Amino acid sequence: EEGAGRRGERAEEGPAERGPGAAFHMFVLMEDLLDKLKLLSYEEEVLRRHNMRPLSRHYFALPTNPGEQFFMFCTLAAWLISKAGHRFEQPQESDDPNAVISNVLSELRSL
């Protein structure tokens, strides 16, 4: 009985144990990411080249359109890898997501 009670408490304590602001941490991270992308001129180098809309302050923090968000993530990853000096092809929306992620991870490991 005592062990079961502890397991139940741990499962319920998860986010609350980290503090009341933990639920908003992802929003802060997204705002920081957007600021860093702007410093790297992503608006001129990525958005204009691919005819995309600017990211909102909470674009990746809320799951609104997973397909679009995944493609934007892959586009940004490819651009950042290229910015780091490695040749990396821009993924297409029709590409297999598993293959794209595998290529991104492989390239990041080589960095």
Side-chain angles (χ1 to χ4, degrees):
E1 287 183 315
E2 197 173 328
R6 285 186 198 161
R7 274 186 247 131
E9 287 175 16
R10 285 184 187 162
E12 292 174 15
E13 287 177 1
E17 190 175 281
R18 293 181 284 167
F24 300 101
H25 185 66
M26 69 183 111
F27 296 100
V28 173
L29 287 176
M30 181 59 211
E31 288 182 20
D32 288 345
L33 171 66
L34 191 56
D35 287 342
K36 291 173 183 176
L37 288 172
K38 286 180 180 180
L39 287 172
L40 291 170
S41 302
Y42 96 104
E43 293 158 319
E44 292 82 23
E45 296 182 25
V46 177
L47 299 181
R48 287 190 183 146
R49 179 188 294 170
H50 299 288
N51 198 25
M52 298 174 144
R53 292 177 291 146
L55 299 178
S56 70
R57 294 180 321 140
H58 306 279
Y59 186 78
F60 291 116
L62 300 170
T64 54
N65 184 342
E68 178 186 300
Q69 289 171 312
F70 179 76
F71 182 66
M72 178 60 84
F73 168 78
C74 293
T75 299
L76 290 171
W79 172 68
L80 288 168
I81 290 168
S82 297
K83 196 107 166 123
H86 284 242
R87 185 168 169 82
F88 193 83
E89 272 192 52
Q90 168 64 38
Q92 302 299 312
E93 284 189 82
S94 59
D95 291 349
D96 175 35
N98 292 321
V100 172
I101 289 297
S102 178
N103 291 340
V104 168
L105 290 174
S106 175
E107 196 61 41
L108 290 176
R109 284 187 197 104
S110 74
L111 287 172

